[in-house]
Amino acid sequence: MQVLISSERIRDRVDELGAEITADFDGQPITVVGVLTGCLVFLADLIRRLNHPTHIALLQASSYRGTATSPGELTVRDELLPDMTGRHVLLLDDILDTGRTISKLVDHLKSKGAASVRTCVLLRKIGRQTVEFEPDYVGFAIPDKFVIGYGLDFNDLYRHLPFIAVLPDSATTGG
Ligand code: 5GP
Ligand code: MG
């Protein structure tokens, strides 16, 4: 398996992001909203670097992609979310690919009454974005490869890996 980002590099970058976010929010209470399931490992690490009054909330977003390259409709499940009215949100996702998921979720949280929504993604794929959107915090820019580990899955496997790796072709073809 080709390791793209080691656990040491992830740890160092999460340290930096935590310090940056702590400084930017300037003592204001943060509601961290994680996008299930890929956010879980990143969220658990990042919140322990926020020197802040912090609330945690979760939602799920999935787009059904068939074999076609164009993704299907985005479904948002937010029944676990508390009342968002007046909250300053830090929306956390594992990876920004086309940008559809995160931009839709920002609109969704604003429609639920959030006072502000900042966004943080661990990874951003270069050259893939189709929706104009600029996240506030990015961990790493990566090449256009399918990646797994540190929360990211392939068929719900590999999330537990402590590093980010490129999924080998053999994992998808069975050879
Ligand atoms: P977007 O809406 O930005 O196109 O897609 C974002 C979502 O697609 C991510 O939250 C993630 O679930 C999934 N995704 C995109 N690229 C990858 C990848 O390389 N690996 C994994 N595991 N998921 C990806
Ligand atoms: Mg996702």
Side-chain angles (χ1 to χ4, degrees), residues 48-144:
R48 284 177 287 173
R49 269 81 155 203
L50 301 179
N51 194 4
H52 248 291
T54 302
H55 306 273
I56 312 294
L58 295 165
L59 53 69
Q60 188 172 40
S62 32
S63 52
Y64 296 98
R65 299 170 199 232
T67 47
T69 45
S70 60
E73 188 67 20
L74 186 83
T75 309
V76 179
R77 295 190 60 181
D78 67 358
E79 53 269 36
L80 295 176
L81 274 188
D83 183 4
M84 283 289 119
T85 310
R87 289 176 187 256
H88 295 283
V89 170
L90 179 69
L91 178 62
L92 218 63
D93 203 358
D94 50 5
I95 184 165
L96 189 153
D97 185 24
T98 64
R100 287 172 77 246
T101 304
I102 198 129
S103 65
K104 281 223 173 184
L105 289 177
V106 169
D107 293 344
H108 188 82
L109 290 166
K110 285 183 175 162
S111 79
K112 291 263 166 185
S116 68
V117 183
R118 281 184 247 201
T119 53
C120 176
V121 293
L122 178 69
L123 306 173
R124 180 186 205 171
K125 271 192 203 176
I126 297 163
R128 284 278 304 166
Q129 215 168 317
T130 58
V131 175
E132 209 173 308
F133 183 85
E134 206 44 44
D136 296 286
Y137 308 96
V138 176
F140 301 92
I142 62 163
D144 182 10

Side-chain angles (χ1 to χ4, degrees), residues 5-21 42 45-46 48-49 122 138-140 150 162-164:
I5 308 171
S6 68
S7 57
E8 292 77 15
R9 281 184 67 205
I10 296 173
R11 185 199 55 214
D12 290 351
R13 185 69 187 121
V14 174
D15 280 347
E16 291 173 356
L17 288 172
E20 216 182 307
I21 292 164
F42 181 38
D45 280 347
L46 184 69
R48 284 177 287 173
R49 269 81 155 203
L122 178 69
V138 176
F140 301 92
Y150 198 74
F163 48 79
I164 307 271

